[in-house]
Amino acid sequence: MPVLTHAIDGDVATIVLDNPPQNRFAPEFTQELSDIVDAITRSPARAVVLRAEGPDFSYGGDFRPWVDADRTSLRADFDQALAVINRFEQLPVPVVAAVQGLCFGGGFEFALRADIILAAESARFGHPEQSLGIVTLLGGIHRVAERAGRARAYEWALTSEQVPASVMAEAGVINRVVPDDALRTEAEVLARKIAEGPTRAHVVHKALLRAWATGGIPAADQQLFDLAVPLFETQDVKDGLVSAAKALQEGRPRPVLPFKGR
């Protein structure tokens, strides 16, 4: 049985961690995620939902094969996993993660690759790696630091504590907390709302945030107009500008347009 499944329903793709109860990443996870990223990239999807079956989002990687693995094979496996999960992070559409229960280790690092994280009231997050004597192998600690600051990121990595969703929201690691029974619905509603927007502009904002994350404001400014000016050639912008200009001239509210993502 696959660890990951996916489906595309119109403009929204859904990726499901489906290896309950712990939703651990079996060895096939990397290839499955790579295939899913390829499929979504080729599809008409304009937003993605990442969610999990069972009571918990994910406990992370299955570390049992590491016990007898040599350093060379470990490095190769980790390199491949990081490359694929970074490809997921760079999908050219917004990604909404819906997290319930325990979101630990690699599961937490997977969720951090989403652009927006909604968490159920029951959700708890953390890095268990220190209990194994290792570190966050998929870039978790520095992605938490990007969102919440170095002090909190290091403390959570040092302690492996299970941090409640409310604390993660307060720290800016996740976007908001919702009732458990509303999690899936709210994530899907949000993704469909995003998918109705100007997809090309959403992609540019995502790219600018990535540039800022790697090089700060100067790096984002450097790329700004190379990314933004081509938007004026898209049909969405042409329709939007004409519609807004007409509404302004006629003294009426700007209408909400059905953007096509083109």
Side-chain angles (χ1 to χ4, degrees):
M1 294 292 291
V3 176
L4 288 172
T5 62
H6 85 286
I8 298 172
D9 181 9
D11 291 337
V12 176
T14 302
I15 301 173
V16 182
L17 273 165
D18 194 8
N19 189 28
Q22 296 186 355
N23 286 320
R24 286 194 179 272
F25 303 165
E28 56 268 33
F29 170 87
T30 299
Q31 186 59 55
E32 289 174 359
L33 181 59
S34 180
D35 292 343
I36 288 171
V37 169
D38 288 342
I40 291 174
T41 301
R42 293 191 299 264
S43 79
R46 296 165 61 188
V48 176
V49 173
L50 171 64
R51 63 173 182 83
E53 293 292 346
D56 296 305
F57 183 79
S58 175
Y59 283 46
D62 183 354
F63 54 82
R64 290 171 297 181
W66 305 348
V67 174
D68 297 317
D70 62 83
R71 177 175 172 177
T72 300
S73 62
L74 281 172
R75 175 61 187 263
D77 288 345
F78 295 154
D79 277 342
Q80 185 180 26
L82 182 62
V84 170
I85 205 168
N86 283 350
R87 285 184 58 218
F88 168 72
E89 183 177 43
Q90 295 164 17
L91 272 171
V93 290
V95 177
V96 178
V99 175
Q100 79 279 9
L102 194 63
C103 183
F104 236 37
F108 187 15
E109 294 176 288
F110 193 18
L112 284 167
R113 294 318 204 282
D115 302 298
I116 296 174
I117 303 174
L118 304 186
E121 292 171 341
S122 67
R124 294 103 62 214
F125 299 80
H127 303 295
E129 288 81 5
Q130 64 84 29
S131 66
L132 299 174
I134 60 174
V135 300
T136 55
L137 294 167
L138 295 177
I141 188 172
H142 39 278
R143 281 173 173 78
V144 172
E146 179 188 3
R147 295 175 182 232
R150 174 176 174 168
R152 276 185 153 170
Y154 195 32
E155 178 186 357
W156 291 333
L158 288 173
T159 62
S160 292
E161 65 178 291
Q162 296 186 14
V163 183
S166 58
V167 175
M168 283 293 179
E170 178 187 348
V173 177
I174 68 173
N175 291 73
R176 64 176 185 266
V177 181
V178 301
D180 284 50
D181 58 3
L183 176 65
R184 186 177 299 186
T185 299
E186 292 215 17
E188 291 174 354
V189 168
L190 178 58
R192 294 207 174 275
K193 179 179 180 181
I194 291 169
E196 293 172 355
T199 305
R200 298 278 294 276
H202 292 337
V203 174
V204 168
H205 273 143
K206 185 167 180 171
L208 289 171
L209 286 171
R210 188 160 58 246
W212 165 79
T214 57
I217 289 175
D221 280 348
Q222 185 74 28
Q223 294 190 32
L224 177 57
F225 296 130
D226 288 340
L227 295 170
V229 171
L231 291 174
F232 285 83
E233 299 176 351
T234 66
Q235 194 61 50
D236 280 348
V237 170
K238 290 176 182 178
D239 292 344
L241 287 174
V242 168
S243 175
K246 184 177 180 181
L248 180 61
Q249 183 176 351
E250 296 174 356
R252 55 182 175 81
R254 186 183 306 172
V256 176
L257 293 185
F259 289 111
K260 303 299 183 184
R262 298 190 295 268

